[in-house]
């Protein structure tokens, strides 16, 4: 019955969507992040919902949407170059079948990141995309936060929304993304307009931030803890009372330690020495193998080239392993077909030096672009521009957090991250278009009085 109701809703949504094609865009973002069709047992799960809505979004934009002020950015052309290069390495991959399997979703993530900025013509659309991304990730983060607060969790055992280990449902990936979206959550609490910024919105945003902060504890992902520390340091640039912020953060961290599970604190202690943990020592060995592999294969081995790796790893006797005896001796073991567990080595092993260079350039130019926007709009007094600099800062902080987290997680082509990159490109092209049309320069503009958030009506 649930499947039949969903199909009926889908047909009604298609009818409405061709009048407002941006609804297809938002719908695909939600489906790509949450994958709600996997909650079904039969009918919906057998229909390629994601591909259908993907096609409807692009076709609807081409057929109906207004494209008069559409602008391309240099990073969209760079994404196009990465897309073509990945296609070339896929057809020449060391493992063609496995490479084609990963290519089947990577190309959609790249095409979507190229297409999405073209639709972000207005502030309302930019904000609507942020809301969909936050609420989609929130459906996963809230489930993980509640289970963690109730005493659940554990490395590899915390079930988020689905009992699967793909996309954002993998613990380390969701921990990284959960911390990376905290700046966007806080931005929306102050500058959002779709939902009026009252106490209910503030309460939900603070609760969502708390749920995201609990994810590294529930998943026991060391990557999440590193990302949380990095974000806390980045936030120093935006806070008004820095010494008070540092003191409060220190007190909060100190007070939280006694309430953390022992298994979590023991696992976090392995950050100091990678040889004291089998997972960490294995990934370092895989990184060394990838480095040597790239020397012989400078153009990479295509997607999933890690399948051929074989590494020899030594684990220290003091290793944290909940299943190992207390007096275990140092051991040497062999591993094969272990994933990269790093976006940088993922790009190096699969796409070689050219692919890694283009990928790094994509992210570096994004950080520079957001810094320029932040600098240009930081001191503007125009009421209609007050949201731009804080959004650029939030996107930049989230981006840096992702880049740090991706040192330890293979998420070079994670679709959610490419939506954040598309948001950056959309914001940049929106600002350039607006400045060109108005002939306006933020630093020389005549100051304008910022109105109250909720102005009272004039009784006269």
């Amino acid at each position: 019955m649930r499947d039949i109701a969903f199909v009926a809703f889908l047909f009604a949504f298609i009818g409405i969507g061709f009048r407002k094609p941006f609804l297809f865009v938002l719908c695909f973002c939600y489906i790509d992040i949450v994958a709600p069709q996997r909650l079904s047992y039969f009918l919906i799960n057998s229909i390629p919902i994601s591909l259908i809505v993907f096609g409807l979004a692009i076709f609807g934009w081409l057929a109906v949407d207004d494209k008069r002020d559409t602008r391309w950015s240099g990073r969209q052309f760079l994404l196009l170059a990465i897309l073509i290069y990945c296609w070339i390495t896929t057809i020449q991959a060391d493992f063609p079948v496995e490479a084609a399997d990963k290519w089947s979703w990577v190309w959609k993530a790249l095409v979507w990141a190229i297409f999405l900025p073209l639709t972000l013509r207005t502030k309302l659309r930019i904000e609507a995309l942020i809301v969909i991304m936050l609420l989609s990730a929130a459906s996963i983060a809230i489930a993980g936060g509640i289970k963690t607060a109730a005493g659940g969790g554990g490395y590899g055992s915390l079930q988020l929304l689905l009992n699967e280990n793909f996309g954002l449902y993998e613990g380390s990936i969701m921990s990284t993304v959960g911390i990376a979206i905290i700046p966007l959550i806080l931005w929306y609490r102050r500058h959002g307009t779709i939902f009026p910024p009252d106490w209910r919105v503030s309460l939900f945003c603070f609760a969502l931030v708390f749920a995201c902060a609990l994810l590294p504890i529930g998943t026991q992902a060391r990557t999440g803890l590193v990302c949380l520390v990095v974000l806390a340091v980045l936030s120093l640039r935006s806070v008004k009372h820095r010494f008070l912020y540092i003191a409060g953060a220190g007190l909060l961290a100190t007070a939280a330690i006694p309430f953390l599970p022992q298994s979590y604190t023991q696992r976090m202690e392995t950050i100091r020495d990678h040889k004291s943990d089998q997972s960490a020592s294995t990934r370092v060995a895989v990184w060394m193998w990838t480095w040597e592999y790239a020397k012989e294969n400078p153009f990479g081995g295509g997607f999933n080239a890690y399948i051929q790796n074989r590494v020899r790893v030594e684990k220290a006797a003091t290793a944290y392993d909940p299943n190992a005896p207390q007096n275990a001796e140092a051991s040497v073991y062999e591993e094969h077909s272990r994933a990269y567990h790093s976006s940088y080595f993922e790009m190096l092993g699969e796409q070689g030096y050219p692919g890694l260079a283009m990928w790094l350039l994509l992210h570096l130019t994004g950080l520079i672009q957001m810094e320029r926007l932040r600098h240009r709009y930081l001191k503007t007094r125009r009421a209609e521009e007050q949201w731009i600099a804080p959004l650029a800062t939030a996107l930049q902080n989230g981006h840096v957090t992702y880049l740090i987290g991706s040192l330890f997680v293979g998420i070079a082509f994670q679709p959610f991250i490419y939506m954040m990159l598309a948001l950056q490109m959309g914001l940049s092209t929106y600002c350039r278009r607006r400045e060109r049309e108005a002939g306006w320069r933020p630093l020389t503009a005549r100051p304008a009085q910022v109105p109250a958030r909720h102005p009272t009506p004039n009784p006269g």
Side-chain angles (χ1 to χ4, degrees), residues 299-419:
F299 296 99
F303 292 127
N304 293 326
Y306 71 87
I307 294 175
Q308 58 195 301
N309 67 40
R310 290 183 177 274
V311 296
R312 186 178 177 88
V313 183
E314 180 179 352
K315 184 175 69 172
T318 57
Y320 161 68
D321 186 350
N323 299 319
Q326 294 296 321
N327 298 321
E329 298 180 356
S331 59
V332 178
Y333 58 95
E334 292 186 356
E335 293 276 358
H336 61 88
S337 301
R338 290 297 299 265
Y340 299 103
H341 287 288
S342 171
S343 298
Y344 301 86
F345 286 97
E346 177 187 0
M347 291 299 301
L348 180 62
E350 295 183 345
Q351 311 304 324
Y353 294 107
L356 176 61
M358 288 189 290
W359 185 79
L360 290 174
L361 181 61
L362 174 70
H363 292 288
L364 180 61
T365 52
L367 296 176
I368 295 174
Q369 192 177 66
M370 291 301 99
E371 183 61 27
R372 287 177 176 174
L373 280 180
R374 178 180 180 274
H375 179 73
R376 282 177 65 83
Y377 288 90
L378 188 61
K379 296 182 180 180
T380 181
R381 297 183 182 180
R382 289 178 176 264
E384 65 273 17
E385 308 297 339
Q386 295 293 308
W387 60 278
I388 294 178
L391 179 56
T393 304
L395 289 171
Q396 188 184 57
N397 289 349
H399 195 171
V400 172
T401 303
Y402 156 74
L403 290 175
I404 296 299
S406 63
L407 285 167
F408 314 104
V409 189
I411 49 177
F413 295 101
Q414 167 56 237
F416 187 91
I417 301 303
Y418 281 84
M419 292 182 196

Side-chain angles (χ1 to χ4, degrees), residues 255-270:
I257 291 177
F259 298 96
L260 297 176
Q262 183 180 2
S263 59
Y264 174 80
T265 55
Q266 288 178 334
R267 181 167 173 79
M268 295 306 109
E269 289 175 358
T270 62

Side-chain angles (χ1 to χ4, degrees), residues 290-300 353:
T290 306
W291 180 258
E292 297 299 327
Y293 174 81
K295 292 179 181 179
E296 300 178 2
N297 302 270
F299 296 99
Y353 294 107

